[in-house]
Amino acid sequence: MKYKAYSKEIWDRINTALDYALAKDSEPIAAFDADGTLWDIDLGEAFFQYQIDQRLVSLPPSPWDFYQDLKKKDPKEAYLWLAQINQGQKIETVRRWAEQAIKEHSPIPVFDEQKKVVNLFASKGVKIYIVTASIAWAVEPAAKLMGLDMDSVVGVETLVENDLITHNQKGIITYQMGKVEALLDLTGGKKPFFASGNTMGDFQLLNSASDLAMAVSAANQDDRLFKTENDLQTIATQKAWIHHRFI
């Protein structure tokens, strides 16, 4: 699919905010959500489907329905569960599975305009983080597509002991306000000058940006994400954030 490019006005606002941030700080921070923001696919759920298809971990009957029911009840519990199902697996094994899942969905539909923003920021010394509610291991391989390393990914994890994944939650669940809390915990309280996301789950992250926030959207009207993306677009208009629909 061909996605709409950013307007000159958008690029002007990005460049102005970047110049302003660099004038105050030699290494400002930028934060991006992952799925639906950097690429047009949910890699966290795609990885889960890969694990189901390949029968890689022990799962309840109708695992997808189980996950969706858990998500309706408590999204944070559902996102953590997607990490917990890997209990007992070697971390390198799960990371290898994630790379294979990425290959199965190649080419990943990266938003080229977002990659240009990431490249611009990186060239100016900006520290870039991908802050996702997906499990970090599922997103880490895709960070390379943006020219970033796995350490740039801040996502849901469980503790790893002796190279084995455990059931125990590690850190903050990176959903809604948890995205901000996890990022600030990592940066020692330093806020991002720029933040970008696509759904209401990213609202708090965008609202934490000191200089510029950007809401993006690519969901069709019949897509389950359309309402939450549209809600964020509406708020972006009200708050004079950048807002852009890729389709």
Side-chain angles (χ1 to χ4, degrees):
M1 180 183 291
K2 184 168 177 58
Y3 299 109
K4 285 171 58 178
Y6 293 159
S7 65
K8 180 181 181 300
E9 179 188 0
I10 288 178
W11 279 111
D12 286 347
R13 291 187 66 184
I14 291 171
N15 279 293
T16 298
L18 176 60
D19 290 343
Y20 181 70
L22 288 169
K24 297 183 294 181
D25 184 350
S26 62
E27 192 180 53
I29 291 167
F32 295 80
D33 168 53
D35 303 326
T37 297
L38 294 176
W39 39 72
D40 195 8
I41 183 175
D42 189 317
L43 290 178
E45 294 188 350
F47 180 54
F48 178 46
Q49 186 63 57
Y50 176 80
Q51 290 180 300
I52 294 171
D53 294 343
Q54 300 296 319
R55 300 180 180 179
L56 298 175
V57 293
S58 178
L59 293 168
S62 304
W64 194 258
D65 290 339
F66 180 89
Y67 164 67
Q68 292 292 354
D69 289 343
L70 200 58
K71 194 173 176 182
K72 288 175 186 175
K73 176 181 145 190
D74 184 351
K76 291 192 288 186
E77 187 177 340
Y79 299 142
L80 178 60
W81 180 73
L82 290 181
Q84 291 172 328
I85 61 175
N86 296 286
Q87 178 181 1
Q89 300 291 339
K90 290 185 177 181
I91 183 63
E92 60 263 33
T93 299
V94 174
R95 285 186 164 132
R96 187 173 67 250
W97 291 345
E99 288 178 356
Q100 286 301 122
I102 291 279
K103 288 178 183 177
E104 288 214 350
H105 288 87
S106 293
I108 300 299
V110 168
F111 296 125
D112 289 337
E113 294 295 272
Q114 289 284 59
K115 187 172 183 179
K116 289 176 186 176
V117 176
V118 170
N119 290 343
L120 171 64
F121 288 172
S123 73
K124 298 294 185 178
V126 175
K127 179 65 177 173
I128 301 163
Y129 291 99
I130 300 173
V131 189
T132 176
S134 293
I135 61 170
W137 312 313
V139 175
E140 286 170 353
K144 299 174 188 175
L145 301 175
M146 309 304 292
L148 303 173
D149 59 32
M150 61 187 286
D151 292 334
S152 69
V153 178
V154 185
V156 178
E157 296 180 75
T158 54
L159 290 170
V160 176
E161 297 175 355
N162 299 319
D163 293 328
L164 293 178
I165 294 172
T166 73
H167 188 268
N168 301 318
Q169 177 180 330
K170 178 183 177 183
I172 299 163
I173 300 299
T174 42
Y175 174 65
Q176 293 185 339
M177 194 61 196
K179 290 195 171 193
V180 179
E181 292 169 352
L183 180 62
L184 295 182
D185 188 56
L186 194 62
T187 65
K190 186 175 176 180
K191 290 183 178 181
F193 88 94
F194 173 94
S196 181
N198 68 307
T199 70
M200 289 302 295
D202 303 316
F203 167 74
Q204 289 88 347
L205 182 64
L206 270 62
N207 205 40
S208 75
S210 62
D211 295 84
L212 188 62
M214 180 166 68
V216 296
S217 170
N220 292 306
Q221 288 194 14
D222 58 351
D223 192 291
R224 63 186 174 87
L225 289 179
F226 181 79
K227 183 183 184 304
T228 184
E229 286 195 346
N230 192 57
D231 288 347
L232 190 64
Q233 293 278 309
T234 299
I235 288 175
T237 302
Q238 295 168 349
K239 286 183 165 285
W241 294 345
I242 293 175
H243 52 94
H244 177 81
R245 274 187 59 75
F246 286 113
I247 60 172

